[in-house]
Amino acid sequence: MSVPPSAEPTLWELHRAVSQLREDLRGDLAQLAARLDQVVTQDVYRADQRATEQRIGQVEAGLAGLRSEHDQITERGEGQRREDQAAAAATRRLVISSFVAPLLLMALQLWLLSAGTAR
């Protein structure tokens, strides 16, 4: 199979194709340059990562401190609640005994009076 002479590109077509390839290459290189402007070096990246790790460590330490403070406050609150419950129970016993004891004594006196008059 031979190629007909009209199938070969002319010099002008070759010139246009090369010019188009050159323009495409310039556009691609401009895009690559724009992307490279956003890239950082490994040293800068490592320094940023170390700074981030330090900040995370500080936040974790602060969080641990807050957690221990929360636990202490919770324990104090539980202790206070137990003390309040004990005081309330003591107050209830005092109130009950201050009302029941006189009633029992009065009932005993009435019984003794009624038993004494019945004889």
Side-chain angles (χ1 to χ4, degrees):
M1 293 173 107
S2 65
V3 177
S6 63
E8 292 181 15
T10 63
L11 289 177
W12 179 252
E13 290 172 343
L14 287 175
H15 175 67
R16 274 191 309 163
V18 169
S19 295
Q20 183 64 37
L21 286 173
R22 188 178 293 160
E23 291 299 319
D24 290 344
L25 185 60
R26 281 188 186 145
D28 292 343
L29 287 175
Q31 288 176 354
L32 183 61
R35 288 180 61 193
L36 285 176
D37 288 342
Q38 298 173 357
V39 175
V40 295
T41 63
Q42 286 184 353
D43 296 336
V44 173
Y45 178 76
R46 287 184 190 134
D48 184 55
Q49 289 299 313
R50 282 192 300 269
T52 301
E53 288 173 7
Q54 287 175 349
R55 285 192 305 248
I56 289 172
Q58 292 171 352
V59 168
E60 286 175 345
L63 184 60
L66 289 174
R67 186 175 291 134
S68 67
E69 285 181 32
H70 177 266
D71 292 342
Q72 290 173 356
I73 290 171
T74 303
E75 288 175 15
R76 273 190 253 136
E78 288 293 320
Q80 184 66 37
R81 186 181 58 80
R82 282 188 225 106
E83 290 174 10
D84 290 346
Q85 286 177 343
T91 303
R92 269 188 256 117
R93 283 192 302 269
L94 179 65
V95 167
I96 289 172
S97 64
S98 67
F99 284 117
V100 171
L103 287 175
L104 287 176
L105 287 176
M106 188 170 53
L108 181 65
Q109 285 177 350
L110 288 174
W111 182 71
L112 289 175
L113 278 173
S114 67
T117 56
R119 286 187 187 182

